[in-house]
Amino acid sequence: MDYHSRLILPSLLASDWSKVGEEVRRAESAGARWLHLDVMDGNFVDNISFGPQMVQVVRKQTQMFLDVHLMIHRADHYLERFLKAGADNITIHVEADYDSSVAETLKRIRAAGKQCGIALHPHTPFEAALPYVKDIDLLLVMTVVPGFGGQPFMEKETMPKLAAARDYRDANGLSYHLEVDGGIYTSTAPIAQRNGANLFVCGTSSFGPPDMKGAMAELAAAVA
Ligand code: DX5
Ligand code: ZN
């Protein structure tokens, strides 16, 4: 699948964790092909979510592509555990600390035969991703300050960067996906799509409504 395909990715963070297996299956029945998993360490971001064990639990419930977003320091230290748990893509933040380096971590993800991504905090410029753009499958432009679901879309701060990332990719024959994450609804998804996004992470707007299939279809129609 290349960046011309547009996908809605439910974010597990917004699901009902008292029945997480059912929620994963609900997402799959609603038409999701990729599922987004937010790993938070209470240090890189001001919230703690879950770790590799949850990824493993989800892996056992579904064949969906598991898109793991690591909002943690020392992603390289924890990497093997997420690979072993069944992640299909692992996205790491340029702003985090590493025992080795961002480049080395990306190399290790690819060496394991998995996809890799770089994530940018809303206040980090696109230039911070430049050293890595040739070696990634996906660039995640955070559209909220990472850490919590349900925050408003930061259009002014992030859309020029998204457009710059698209223009750079297209001018340089690169092929990374452009993913947006945070505050994505039928109202904001088209704005991100016009600026280059093709992967739309939706927490509240996908798992929130009782009719997830209907909600996913409306989100997909909004970016069609
Ligand atoms: C934010 C997370 C998001 C979050 C999005 O730190 O990375 O994936 O789940 O949630 P909504 O869609 O509710 O803004
Ligand atoms: Zn995320």
Side-chain angles (χ1 to χ4, degrees), residues 10 22-32 35 64 207 212:
E22 265 176 59
E23 289 287 78
V24 169
R25 289 189 292 277
R26 183 162 77 107
E28 195 159 21
S29 321
L35 184 69
M64 279 185 289
F207 276 108
M212 186 170 188

Side-chain angles (χ1 to χ4, degrees), residues 3 38 58 70 73 82 104 121-122 132 181 185 190 201 203-204 224:
Y3 64 80
D38 287 308
V58 171
L70 297 183
H73 285 304
F82 287 100
E104 185 60 31
H121 184 284
Y132 315 111
D181 184 5
Y185 294 84
V201 176
T204 311

Side-chain angles (χ1 to χ4, degrees), residues 74-77 97-101:
R74 303 181 70 216
D76 46 353
H77 177 75
D97 298 335
Y98 293 86
D99 290 351
S100 57
S101 65

Side-chain angles (χ1 to χ4, degrees), residues 7-51:
L7 293 186
I8 306 299
L9 285 68
S11 171
L12 193 71
L13 194 66
S15 71
D16 181 345
W17 294 3
S18 71
K19 45 175 184 178
V20 75
E22 265 176 59
E23 289 287 78
V24 169
R25 289 189 292 277
R26 183 162 77 107
E28 195 159 21
S29 321
R33 289 168 52 196
W34 287 32
L35 184 69
H36 186 82
L37 292 97
D38 287 308
V39 177
M40 305 178 182
D41 67 354
N43 189 5
F44 178 69
V45 292
D46 188 27
N47 195 10
I48 300 176
S49 58
F50 50 74

